Amino acid sequence: MKKMLPAALMMLAACSKKDAPVTPRPTEPVWKLTEIAGAGESTFFYYNNAGEPSAWTTRTTSGTDSSAVAWAGGKLVFTYLFFGQQQRIDRSFLYTGDRLTRVQYHNFDHSGQWTVTDYDSLVYNGNRLAELHVVNAGARNQLFKLYWEGGNVARCESFDVIAETIVLTGIIKYQYTDQPALARVFPPWCYFIWTGRDFAALSENERSVEEGSSAIGTLRWRNSYGHAYLTGGRLESMSWRREDFSAPATADFARQFAYQLYQTQ
């Protein structure tokens, strides 16, 4: 026969379970990229309480260039520049669902009004960006077509658009490491927006080589990258060699990356 607890003990047990204090889980610490430093230039990234970049500032020997960043619903919607003593919209971003579909550029128009003068239109094939159309002063004048392998952009073809006729002007081919791309330390689209049309910034992995060719396939330049990582997988430094086969000339560059530990809210 099943033994029954006295009613008083049953009530006490129920209250104890219900009223037992719950120890909250500590928030997970995350590392935020705070600086990209190169020869004579450093870019600093600042964050809001949600962990989204709120501003970036580039400092060089010739001056400082700052942009403020506005978010809505987890999406970057405005970047602002500082024009004299005023803060003005530099770019605005439109989405369809989670897809960035238009980048709008704000400038003075012919009547002296600060407004959208140019824009990029983004076109998709499935879930991947397939084309970016550049429209300046109401006329489409450039086109970029992307080709993917897995999660990475493998090839970009660039075209000039002349009276709606597209003319191939160049091809860039990309190779990648097996390491995650630096862009993944930011929310989606953020690093691509910061770089401005650097299509490899959309890829899942970090690039190792990129080569630019003419429309007829003549190799014009090559960038070869090397990477060093901190414990935990954060990119510590990047070196690359730029080979210009037109000059010809070779130049070496390096960047250092700094991070700060943040507590998620």
Side-chain angles (χ1 to χ4, degrees):
M1 179 179 294
K2 187 182 292 185
K3 294 185 179 180
M4 304 296 292
L5 287 173
L9 290 178
M10 291 178 66
M11 292 178 62
L12 179 60
C15 290
S16 298
K17 286 184 178 181
K18 182 177 180 181
D19 299 334
V22 177
T23 302
R25 292 184 59 188
T27 56
E28 294 292 333
V30 293
W31 290 94
K32 294 292 187 182
L33 178 67
T34 54
E35 183 182 359
I36 300 176
E41 177 178 302
S42 290
T43 298
F44 300 89
F45 297 91
Y46 306 91
Y47 295 84
N48 60 25
N49 289 335
E52 301 159 335
S54 59
W56 45 67
T57 298
T58 299
R59 297 173 185 167
T60 67
T61 54
S62 59
T64 299
D65 183 20
S66 296
S67 294
V69 181
W71 296 79
K75 298 182 179 68
L76 195 161
V77 291
F78 294 106
T79 58
Y80 299 89
L81 56 77
F82 298 91
F83 189 83
Q85 300 299 315
Q86 293 183 322
Q87 178 175 297
R88 293 182 180 270
I89 296 174
D90 177 31
R91 289 175 292 169
S92 54
F93 309 94
L94 304 181
Y95 299 81
T96 299
D98 291 331
R99 296 177 181 176
L100 178 66
T101 52
R102 181 167 291 199
V103 179
Q104 301 184 137
Y105 300 86
H106 298 245
N107 297 285
F108 286 112
D109 63 13
H110 294 300
S111 62
Q113 299 298 310
W114 192 261
T115 186
V116 175
T117 56
D118 317 300
Y119 65 88
D120 295 343
S121 178
L122 288 74
V123 179
Y124 292 79
N125 181 7
N127 293 323
R128 301 296 188 191
L129 180 64
E131 297 180 356
L132 185 147
H133 299 256
V134 178
V135 179
N136 290 333
R140 186 177 68 136
N141 52 32
Q142 273 188 301
L143 168 64
F144 298 91
K145 291 187 177 182
L146 305 184
Y147 301 88
W148 294 73
E149 290 182 3
N152 297 319
V153 177
R155 175 186 176 100
C156 172
E157 297 177 350
S158 59
F159 301 83
D160 283 343
V161 183
I162 305 170
E164 293 305 312
T165 299
I166 64 172
V167 179
L168 180 66
T169 56
I171 301 165
I172 299 177
K173 295 180 181 179
Y174 304 92
Q175 298 175 36
Y176 296 87
T177 72
D178 59 359
Q179 296 295 321
L182 178 69
R184 294 172 64 182
V185 304
F186 292 111
W189 296 109
C190 183
Y191 195 71
F192 174 72
I193 288 171
W194 176 67
T195 60
R197 299 181 191 155
D198 179 2
F199 296 108
L202 300 174
S203 297
E204 293 180 0
N205 296 103
E206 192 60 55
R207 80 193 85 185
S208 58
V209 178
E210 54 189 352
E211 295 180 329
S213 301
S214 69
I216 61 173
T218 302
L219 185 62
R220 289 176 170 170
W221 55 266
R222 178 190 295 123
N223 288 336
S224 302
Y225 297 88
H227 309 87
Y229 290 86
L230 296 163
T231 301
R234 297 186 307 280
L235 182 61
E236 179 183 28
S237 63
M238 177 190 296
S239 61
W240 75 92
R241 170 161 289 184
R242 171 82 174 192
E243 298 171 272
D244 183 344
F245 301 113
S246 301
T250 301
D252 293 309
F253 304 90
R255 284 179 175 174
Q256 299 287 327
F257 303 90
Y259 303 82
Q260 185 172 334
L261 192 61
Y262 278 70
Q263 291 291 128
T264 56
Q265 299 297 310

